[in-house]
Amino acid sequence: MSTSDKPSYNFRMADWQDFTKNLEIRLTDLACARPLYTKDEIFDAAHTLKEVLQDTIRTRIKLQKPLPDKKRWWTGELEDAKRQKNRLGSMHHKLRTFDQHPYKKRWWTGELEDAKRQKNRLGSMHHKLRTFDQHPCHQQFKEAKSAFAKLVIETKRKHWNDWLSEASTKDLWTANKYLRNPTGDGGQPRIPTLEATDPYTDEKVEIATNEEKACMFATTFFPRKPEHS
């Protein structure tokens, strides 16, 4: 076994308050402090102190076996902060329907919550019965998923309109910022509406659907082979 594979004490994740308290108790059990006059007395005292420290380390510090991908910079303070974040994240999810909760999705409604539960219930059934193609739950799940997505959009739109109707001067500036910098999915670029000239009437026509855009690109980038080459 190489040196790097041997278990070592995980001092970074140690509870130093517990370690110090335990060490103090062990030190009080030693003989009372007294002057050391000889070389042997100094060596004996140092040896005793070393044994107390090592025994405290063995009993209060956990061993760890280093992993190849271990974050060696991780500390107990980071671990506590992570637990706190996860605890608040769980609370944030559980209390998302409470109006006064600071983490609430303010557009979320009881109707949305019911629709989500229905969708999840049918989704679970859809997954369990995925080998039964003719079971009605598959179609019901698709309809519930579509209805839930539509309800989310409608609820957000209603919340936005209600917020605008009651917006203060400061809120109007915020709304203007939202409108000037709309959010979107940069990973899914959208081709805007195109304009083309009708070869028969020479009129400008708009091409809005994906099928029409695809046909236009195919015709433009891959023209037909000339009849006489």
Side-chain angles (χ1 to χ4, degrees):
M1 180 183 293
S2 63
T3 305
S4 60
D5 293 334
K6 292 182 179 180
S8 60
Y9 291 107
N10 190 358
F11 291 103
R12 289 182 178 272
M13 303 298 291
D15 185 349
W16 291 110
Q17 291 184 352
D18 176 72
F19 180 89
T20 304
K21 182 178 179 181
N22 190 269
L23 180 60
E24 289 177 351
I25 295 174
R26 292 171 182 265
L27 291 175
T28 55
D29 294 338
L30 298 178
C32 296
R34 59 183 179 83
L36 304 175
Y37 298 104
T38 66
K39 183 178 179 180
D40 291 338
E41 289 179 342
I42 294 175
F43 283 157
D44 290 342
H47 179 71
T48 302
L49 180 60
K50 178 182 177 181
E51 286 186 340
V52 170
L53 284 171
Q54 290 181 339
D55 188 58
T56 305
I57 291 174
R58 282 193 296 269
T59 56
R60 313 313 297 182
I61 307 297
K62 295 181 179 180
L63 286 172
Q64 65 171 356
K65 183 177 181 180
L67 300 175
D69 57 346
K70 180 175 176 59
K71 298 175 180 177
R72 300 183 183 277
W73 46 266
W74 195 263
T75 64
E77 184 179 3
L78 280 171
E79 187 67 23
D80 293 339
K82 182 181 178 182
R83 289 197 189 99
Q84 175 74 353
K85 175 185 73 70
N86 292 342
R87 184 180 65 82
L88 290 173
S90 177
M91 187 183 302
H92 155 69
H93 179 73
K94 291 179 180 178
L95 302 178
R96 62 189 179 278
T97 57
F98 288 78
D99 293 336
Q100 302 303 322
H101 197 270
Y103 302 116
K104 174 182 169 57
K105 295 177 180 177
R106 302 196 178 278
W107 50 267
W108 195 265
T109 63
E111 185 180 6
L112 276 172
E113 188 66 24
D114 294 339
K116 182 180 179 181
R117 289 197 188 99
Q118 174 74 355
K119 176 181 72 71
N120 291 344
R121 184 181 64 81
L122 290 172
S124 177
M125 188 181 302
H126 159 73
H127 179 73
K128 291 178 181 178
L129 301 176
R130 60 187 179 277
T131 56
F132 296 89
D133 296 336
Q134 303 303 322
H135 198 278
C137 73
H138 302 305
Q139 182 62 29
Q140 293 173 0
F141 172 64
K142 291 181 180 179
E143 294 174 355
K145 185 168 65 171
S146 176
F148 176 72
K150 183 178 179 181
L151 184 60
V152 168
I153 294 174
E154 292 176 351
T155 305
K156 284 185 175 182
R157 183 181 294 113
K158 182 178 182 302
H159 176 76
W160 170 256
N161 292 333
D162 293 343
W163 180 72
L164 285 179
S165 64
E166 301 176 0
S168 62
T169 304
K170 182 179 179 181
D171 293 334
L172 289 177
W173 282 102
T174 304
N176 180 63
K177 181 179 178 181
Y178 291 157
L179 294 174
R180 290 172 62 88
N181 300 286
T183 58
D185 187 354
Q188 297 181 354
R190 175 181 174 275
I191 300 174
T193 301
L194 305 175
E195 284 189 358
T197 303
D198 191 317
Y200 301 103
T201 62
D202 290 334
E203 295 180 354
K204 296 288 185 180
V205 293
E206 288 189 350
I207 300 177
T209 66
N210 291 333
E211 291 77 9
E212 293 174 341
K213 294 175 186 176
C215 291
M216 178 182 176
F217 287 143
T219 304
T220 304
F221 293 115
F222 304 99
R224 293 183 179 180
K225 183 179 180 180
E227 296 181 0
H228 303 285
S229 59

